[in-house]
Amino acid sequence: MQIETTGFILVVDDNTTNLSVLSQALKQVGWKVRVAMDGESALQKVQEERPELILLDVMMPGIDGFETCRRLKADAATHDIPVIFMTALSDTESKIKGLSIGAVDYIAKPFEQEEVIARVKIHLQLRQLQSNLAREVEKRTCELSATLEELQRSQQQLIQSEKLSTLGQLVAGVAHELNNPIGCIVSNIHPALETVSELEQVIRFYQQRFPEATERLEQELDIDVEFNLADLPKLLNSMQLSADRIQAMSVSLRSFSRSDSERKVRANLRDGLDCTLVILEHRLKANSIRPRIEVLKQYDDIFVECYPGPLSQVFMNLLANAIDALNEACSAAPQIQIQTEVTDKAAIVRIRDNGGGIPLEVQSQIFESTFTTKAAGKGTGLGLSISHQIIVEKHGGQLTCTSEMGQGTEFTISIPRL
């Protein structure tokens, strides 16, 4: 690990020879060094400017090293500065005393330069790691606090009577605003690639006719023409893939958030399933506890009279729950199966996972609004209750669940075909 420090090391010793030898050895490594010959002057220098580390002799005139260290550790502004004692005292009691008042290490006199440098380097690294960790913890704490506040605000909004409608309008608005700029990017990448190709022809012509000028131009501008000609199309193609992905997300969001009309409309259930899977794609990816979730799509076009927006909400709830179950099960081969079936009377959608399953004693309660297995901070726990309401009350259909511990869970949606 590279030590990144712009500070200095303070060496405190009443022996001028020790000060000279230590200072020279530390400076050869590239560290800045300042010296003090007693505890009082050392404390004064520390107050003027904070060192990164202190090499402190124990036996000194005036206040000794132990008292100097004790005062450093008692001051909130200096208590975190690492102190390494240098002493000829080899008894265990003295070492314990030094460590108990806050020293991080001991160097025995007479000392070896290599040992001093190694110990200083280790403790500078530790100090740097602690500093980085503290900054990261502070950063994460701020982020988590902001996230928690945002989640609390979202939860309060969701439990309002118009939560689904409001959320749908918001998502639809965002998707609409994304549509134009994304469309502009997508439609212009291909012409940009053609323009790059034409410019390449111009450059090639110039290279052939004026090779000396081309070489001098590259030298003057410090550019690699061949690399840029090869890399620019790759960059544009990468942008094309990303733009296509965003465009697909925008289409899916607009489809998912279609407002609830006063009457049913003819819609393709396949579109709702596909759009929901696009939105949940990031949750299907491999993570630290399981590989990527395999989704088996065994469905075709199925047109029914329905409310597309709320029905997509049902797909979202059921698929999200399946992903949660697979995360908890930590399966080596996580899988979700989506199957459709059409009968004379109904359109049927089955969503099955191979997670841990739902205990038999709670299966009869999962659609109740007052029941949830969600831990605090893991959602409202209303997904299945809302889904049941949408299918049964809004569509006059059925939503059922079959599950076996250790084998997985299957939800079956049945929408009447009028």
Side-chain angles (χ1 to χ4, degrees):
M1 174 181 174
Q2 184 179 0
I3 302 175
E4 298 176 0
T5 176
T6 57
F8 64 93
I9 298 171
L10 178 62
V11 182
V12 186
D13 198 314
D14 61 338
N15 186 304
T16 56
T17 301
N18 289 342
L19 289 178
S20 176
V21 172
L22 281 173
S23 298
Q24 183 177 1
L26 295 172
K27 288 178 180 178
Q28 287 178 348
V29 179
W31 294 320
K32 299 177 182 178
V33 180
R34 295 187 182 180
V35 299
M37 298 192 66
D38 54 59
E40 287 88 352
S41 59
L43 291 172
Q44 183 178 354
K45 288 180 181 293
V46 170
Q47 291 301 321
E48 293 171 353
E49 188 175 359
R50 304 286 185 268
E52 294 290 329
L53 181 142
I54 300 175
L55 288 171
L56 180 59
D57 187 22
V58 174
M59 306 300 294
M60 295 185 298
I63 62 173
D64 63 11
F66 291 139
E67 179 60 25
T68 303
C69 182
R70 188 178 291 109
R71 294 187 186 184
L72 287 168
K73 298 304 175 181
D75 189 340
T78 60
H79 78 278
D80 63 337
I81 300 174
V83 175
I84 300 178
F85 276 132
M86 303 181 296
T87 180
L89 299 176
S90 59
D91 59 289
T92 303
E93 183 179 352
S94 296
K95 292 182 178 180
I96 293 175
K97 180 180 179 180
L99 294 173
S100 66
I101 61 177
V104 296
D105 205 350
Y106 259 93
I107 297 176
K109 292 183 177 181
F111 48 77
E112 295 290 339
Q113 292 186 19
E114 292 80 6
E115 179 186 1
V116 174
I117 291 171
R119 290 180 183 270
V120 168
K121 183 178 296 185
I122 288 173
H123 289 289
L124 285 176
Q125 289 176 342
L126 288 174
R127 177 175 170 81
Q128 182 175 320
L129 288 172
Q130 290 172 343
S131 177
N132 292 342
L133 179 60
R135 287 195 296 269
E136 186 66 21
V137 169
E138 182 179 2
K139 175 184 175 183
R140 295 298 183 187
T141 301
C142 292
E143 292 175 350
L144 288 173
S145 297
T147 301
L148 179 59
E149 292 176 3
E150 181 63 27
L151 285 173
Q152 289 173 337
R153 286 194 294 268
S154 298
Q155 186 179 38
Q156 292 172 357
Q157 182 181 6
L158 286 173
I159 62 176
Q160 302 301 318
S161 59
E162 298 297 327
K163 58 182 177 296
L164 293 180
S165 176
T166 302
L167 184 61
Q169 293 173 7
L170 175 63
V171 173
V174 172
H176 177 75
E177 291 298 322
L178 285 174
N179 190 52
N180 287 338
I182 292 301
C184 178
I185 294 173
V186 171
S187 62
N188 281 293
I189 288 179
H190 183 69
L193 284 168
E194 292 181 343
T195 301
V196 169
S197 178
E198 293 173 354
L199 290 175
E200 181 180 4
Q201 295 179 26
V202 173
I203 293 173
R204 297 301 184 198
F205 176 82
Y206 191 86
Q207 287 175 325
Q208 293 174 1
R209 291 299 183 92
F210 307 100
E212 294 181 0
T214 302
E215 182 178 352
R216 182 174 179 181
L217 181 64
E218 289 184 349
Q219 294 174 349
E220 291 291 335
L221 298 181
D222 191 23
I223 60 174
D224 188 334
V225 172
E226 296 300 327
F227 173 81
N228 288 328
L229 287 175
D231 193 53
L232 185 54
K234 295 178 183 178
L235 293 176
L236 291 173
N237 285 324
S238 177
M239 292 170 60
Q240 177 79 61
L241 292 175
S242 298
D244 289 343
R245 169 67 178 162
I246 297 174
Q247 190 174 50
M249 283 290 297
S250 177
V251 171
S252 297
L253 287 172
R254 282 186 284 124
S255 175
F256 178 81
S257 61
R258 281 181 290 187
S259 61
D260 189 8
S261 61
E262 295 182 357
R263 61 183 181 83
K264 296 178 180 179
V265 297
R266 183 172 173 80
N268 190 348
L269 298 186
R270 179 175 187 168
D271 292 340
L273 290 168
D274 286 340
C275 289
T276 304
L277 289 173
V278 169
I279 295 172
L280 289 173
E281 169 62 25
H282 68 288
R283 296 199 59 198
L284 299 173
K285 296 178 180 178
N287 57 34
S288 59
I289 59 177
R290 57 153 178 80
R292 177 179 175 83
I293 297 174
E294 180 185 14
V295 179
L296 300 181
K297 303 177 183 179
Q298 299 172 346
Y299 55 81
D300 297 311
D301 294 327
I302 302 181
F303 291 91
V304 294
E305 298 291 325
C306 64
Y307 300 96
L311 199 55
S312 292
Q313 179 71 35
V314 174
F315 296 152
M316 174 67 74
N317 289 337
L318 297 182
L319 287 168
N321 282 351
I323 295 172
D324 289 339
L326 293 170
N327 286 338
E328 293 176 5
C330 303
S331 173
Q335 187 180 89
I336 295 176
Q337 294 179 326
I338 307 175
Q339 297 175 315
T340 58
E341 179 184 349
V342 179
T343 67
D344 293 337
K345 295 183 178 181
I348 300 171
V349 179
R350 294 186 177 89
I351 297 176
R352 178 178 178 81
D353 66 72
N354 62 346
I358 301 173
L360 181 62
E361 60 270 19
V362 303
Q363 289 184 26
S364 61
Q365 307 174 62
I366 60 176
F367 296 121
E368 297 177 6
S369 60
T370 56
F371 178 81
T372 180
T373 59
K374 295 284 187 182
K378 296 295 184 180
T380 64
L382 299 175
L384 290 178
S385 174
I386 293 173
S387 298
H388 189 267
Q389 181 183 15
I390 291 172
I391 297 300
V392 176
E393 298 181 16
K394 203 170 187 68
H395 289 85
Q398 292 181 332
L399 176 59
T400 59
C401 171
T402 58
S403 184
E404 184 178 349
M405 293 300 295
Q407 299 299 317
T409 302
E410 179 175 290
F411 284 93
T412 302
I413 304 168
S414 178
I415 305 292
R417 298 181 66 201
L418 304 179

